[in-house]
Amino acid sequence: MEKGRLQMRSMSLTGTALVVATTSSKSDHIVTSASRIPVRRPPTPSTDAPAAIESRPVPSDVPLTVEPETTNEARLWTTIDGLTSELEAVAAVATARAAVHAAQMHAAETQLAATTAALDRLRSGVYDTVAACFLHELHTGETDALSECMAQATAGDDAALAWIQACFGRRLLHARRHLAPDKVPDTAVLYMESAVRVLAGIVPEDEDTMPLPTLSLETPSIASMASRRYQPTFVDRSAPLRRCLRTVFERLGAHSQTLKVVLVHPPLWTASERDRVSHLLWHEFYVPALLLTTTAEVILRAAGLSSGVVVDVGPYTTTIVPIYNDRIVTHATLTLPGGRDMVLHATWGALREHGAFGAVADEEDQFDAAEQLLRTHGFVAYDVAAERAKRPTDVHMTWRHESRLITSSAALFEGPEQLFHPSRDDGKSLQEAVLSAIDRCNPVVRAELAAAIVLNGALTTLPGFKRRLTRELILLRHDLLGQLRLHDGHGFVGACTLARFAHDDVWIVR
């Protein structure tokens, strides 16, 4: 028994020495030293002891005492456990601080990379702008500005940026200013009759007479030019449209910034095409005010109506546009592929069959002669079968004061007949298209639309055109008898009327 106590005391002293040595060591080895502390608990009583010893009664007169060595040893082990927990906590805090530091370093590196990329983009933008200015000066042929641009571009970032600021500052100072719409006395009417023809004229405010178009310009397809993307650089895909508008203003003999403009375009233009032309007129020609409308609307307005069906026979297409209360019925608008060009081609073919071009060898001259014959002697047959059964008569016409064309009257109505009975199998006749457009509208307004059919175009002025169209419509729809009313329309006159009497609220100003 005494020997066991001596062993336990020596173990306690050894553990105490280890603790003292551990606490006095360097702080870098705290965790390692703590892990080496021997954790030994006092031995528990063995369960294999003899039953006689456990059952031996303890005398009541012997006091229960606890040895001092056992109490001190328990306190020592409690202290060791607390120190171990503290060391583990210190190690966890150190690990967390290392992780936070690594995260902060990663965030700083990411921010530095983003800032560097932004600076690179800014520098690239500066030099791209300098390159664009260089190409612009090269395109315009200004050698002084070209050499200055090259010198500033190679001097450095600060010099290039300062040169760009000065360049744009000069442009802003020398830019033309817009006049107020109420200070502009005259209005220019740009009537785009078709995709290739523009009628233009100036409407003075102090005159009561309606002017005739002073300019008729044949251009490439205006619709295709307007639908192309506009780029405000020297590489401009809208250059043909810009040249067209510049030619119009030059031939009118007026500056665009001193004129309000009424732009009359075909009814099937999209919103992007209207925006494209408007952008050009505002930012390239500096017009103070702009009014956009369609050919169908001004044709109906010229007839003094607010509701009706506009039949516009153009150079290459025929457009049927129902309008109710000054609003276009878009879903009922139809376009036929035939127009004045188709009728002229059919007339030319009929004249060739009758030998009318014996003295004219050139094909282009033949077309010119056919156009003059159609304009001066052409007509629309009321009954084609009866007209073809008639005995033809000779028609004489002097051509360029040199030769005399002799033809038959039977060839002069075959061209307009293509509108009512097209030679193509898939072609729709004019009367069928008019009825189809009316049927697409609300049944409540069909009678009102049928009573206001407005005709526009050179072919609609041929003798017998109204009478023949009325006959064909009634043959297809007998209930229209007594309801049809056909009116003449003059699109340019309607545009001039709109330009003179338009309210200030309908003008689009900057």
Side-chain angles (χ1 to χ4, degrees), residues 239 241-251 284-285:
L241 180 59
R242 180 187 289 105
R243 287 196 297 267
C244 172
L245 295 175
R246 185 179 293 112
T247 303
V248 168
F249 287 113
E250 288 177 355
R251 294 190 181 181
E284 294 287 337
F285 297 94

Side-chain angles (χ1 to χ4, degrees), residues 11-13 15-16 19 71-81:
M11 291 173 60
S12 300
L13 293 175
T16 305
V19 171
T71 304
N72 293 334
E73 186 176 357
R75 291 177 180 176
L76 179 60
W77 287 114
T78 303
T79 304
I80 292 172
D81 292 340

Side-chain angles (χ1 to χ4, degrees), residues 176 230 232 236 242 246 279-286:
R176 289 176 287 184
Y230 173 75
D236 192 353
R242 180 187 289 105
R246 185 179 293 112
H279 190 279
L280 274 176
L281 289 172
W282 274 332
H283 298 280
E284 294 287 337
F285 297 94
Y286 302 97

Side-chain angles (χ1 to χ4, degrees), residues 354-372:
H354 288 79
F357 300 119
V360 182
D362 186 62
E363 190 170 298
E364 186 175 353
D365 292 340
Q366 291 179 5
F367 267 98
D368 293 340
E371 184 177 5
Q372 184 174 349

